[in-house]
Amino acid sequence: MVTSVVVPAGTEAPRRPPAVRSRRWIRGESWAGYAFIAPTMVLLGLFVLLPLGWALAISLQHTNGFGEGRFVGLANYGRLVADPLFWRSALNTGLFTLIVTPGAMALGLGAAVLLNSLLPARALFRSILILPMSISGVATALVGLLIFDENSGVIDKILRSLGLPALAWQSGGVAAFASVVLVTLWWRLGFNMLIYLAALQGISPELYEAARLDGAGRWRMFRFVTVPLVGPSSFFLLIMNVIYSFQVFDIVFVLTGGGPQNATSVLVTYAYDNGFVVRDQGYAAAIGVVLLLLTLVFTVVQWRISRTRDLVE
C-alpha cells in the first residue's frame, strides 16, 4: 500500500536551505578543480619532486652510482666549503649570471622596441632573432664553435686575413669565457625579445601620444612610459634568465668543456664532472642541492622585493 502526501493548496514543498546548496556547490567545484590539476600534480611529483628527494638522499651518501651507498651525513656539504674548484665554479656562475642576465634583457628590449616600430622587413628580422629558440642549446653551441674555434673559426680567419693576431678562444681563459657569453646572448636574445614584444603591443598608443603632447622626446618616453609598463615582463625575464644562467651547461660543455684550467667551469659542469667522470655522485648531488637552494633563495627575494614595490606603488 502506497501512502501519498497531499500538499495543501497554496503551499510549496520544503526546500533545502540555501547554505546547504551553497556548500554542496562549492564541494562539487572543489572536486572538479582537483580532477583538473591531478594529472599535472602526478607528473610534477614523478618528474620533479621525486628526483629532488632522491638527489637529496644521494647527497648524504658516498656512492659511485653502483651498489649501495654509504651514509656520510653532511660530509659532502662540508667538502664544498673547502673545495677551491667549487668556489671557482660558483664565481664563474655568478659572473656569467651578472653579464648574461642584464645583457640579454637589454638586447631583447632594444630589439623589441625596434620591431614594434615601423621598421622595414620586421617579419624577416623577427624570424631571424627567434630562430635560435627553435634549436637546442647543443646545436647553438655547435654553430658558435664554427664561429669561435681558434683553429678554423670564422672570426679568427677574418682576423688573419686582415693581418691581425687570432684570438685563443679555447686556450685563453678570458677569450673562452667571452665566447660562452656571446653565444648565450645570441641564443637568449630571441626569447627576451618575444616576451618584451608581447608586452609592448599591449601598451595603448594613447599613452605615447599624451607624452608626446607634453613635450617628451623618444628617450623620455622610453624611460618613463615603456620601461615602467613592461615591468611585469622584466620581472618574469629576470627570474627566467637568472635560473637559466645558474643552470647553464650545454653551451659551456660544447664550446669549452669548462676549460681552459677551469676558466669557464660553472656549477653544473663541475657537478657533471664529479658525477659522471670521477663517479663521486654523492658530492655531485650535494652541488646540485646547493644550486637548487641558491635558485630558490634568489626567486623568493626577488618576489618579495617586487611584491613590496607593488604595495608601495
Side-chain angles (χ1 to χ4, degrees), residues 218-240:
R218 290 183 178 274
W219 169 248
R220 294 181 66 86
M221 285 191 292
F222 175 78
R223 180 181 176 184
F224 295 106
V225 178
T226 302
V227 173
L229 291 179
V230 298
S233 297
S234 297
F235 174 72
F236 168 76
L237 288 174
L238 176 64
I239 299 298
M240 296 301 295

Side-chain angles (χ1 to χ4, degrees), residues 157-174:
K157 286 184 177 180
I158 295 175
L159 292 176
R160 291 190 187 98
S161 66
L162 296 176
L164 299 175
L167 296 176
W169 296 108
Q170 279 74 49
S171 58
V174 176

Side-chain angles (χ1 to χ4, degrees), residues 33-225:
Y34 292 144
F36 278 115
I37 66 173
T40 302
M41 296 305 295
V42 170
L43 294 176
L44 181 66
L46 287 177
F47 296 104
V48 177
L49 299 180
L50 183 61
L52 286 178
W54 187 246
L56 179 61
I58 294 177
S59 71
L60 303 177
Q61 303 175 19
H62 177 72
T63 176
N64 60 2
F66 300 101
E68 292 291 334
R70 177 169 55 88
F71 181 78
V72 294
L74 298 177
N76 288 323
Y77 296 95
R79 286 177 56 190
L80 293 175
V81 179
D83 185 358
L85 290 180
F86 168 77
W87 291 110
R88 177 67 182 275
S89 300
L91 179 62
N92 289 338
T93 304
L95 181 60
F96 179 84
T97 303
L98 289 176
I99 296 175
V100 168
T101 298
M105 292 177 63
L107 291 174
L109 180 57
V113 170
L114 289 176
L115 293 177
N116 195 48
S117 61
L118 298 178
L119 183 70
R122 287 182 299 170
L124 176 61
F125 286 112
R126 190 179 306 172
S127 301
I128 293 174
L129 292 177
I130 296 176
L131 184 62
M133 295 176 54
S134 61
I135 59 179
S136 66
V138 173
T140 303
L142 290 174
V143 175
L145 196 59
L146 296 175
I147 299 174
F148 293 104
D149 188 85
E150 64 183 64
N151 296 316
S152 59
V154 175
I155 292 182
D156 278 1
K157 286 184 177 180
I158 295 175
L159 292 176
R160 291 190 187 98
S161 66
L162 296 176
L164 299 175
L167 296 176
W169 296 108
Q170 279 74 49
S171 58
V174 176
F177 195 88
S179 68
V180 172
V181 169
L182 292 174
V183 173
T184 304
L185 288 175
W186 173 58
W187 191 42
R188 299 293 297 174
L189 172 61
F191 176 76
N192 288 268
M193 181 273 296
L194 192 63
I195 299 298
Y196 274 131
L197 186 60
L200 290 174
Q201 291 179 350
I203 300 177
S204 175
E206 285 77 7
L207 296 176
Y208 291 106
E209 184 65 26
R212 190 177 296 107
L213 292 176
D214 289 339
R218 290 183 178 274
W219 169 248
R220 294 181 66 86
M221 285 191 292
F222 175 78
R223 180 181 176 184
F224 295 106
V225 178

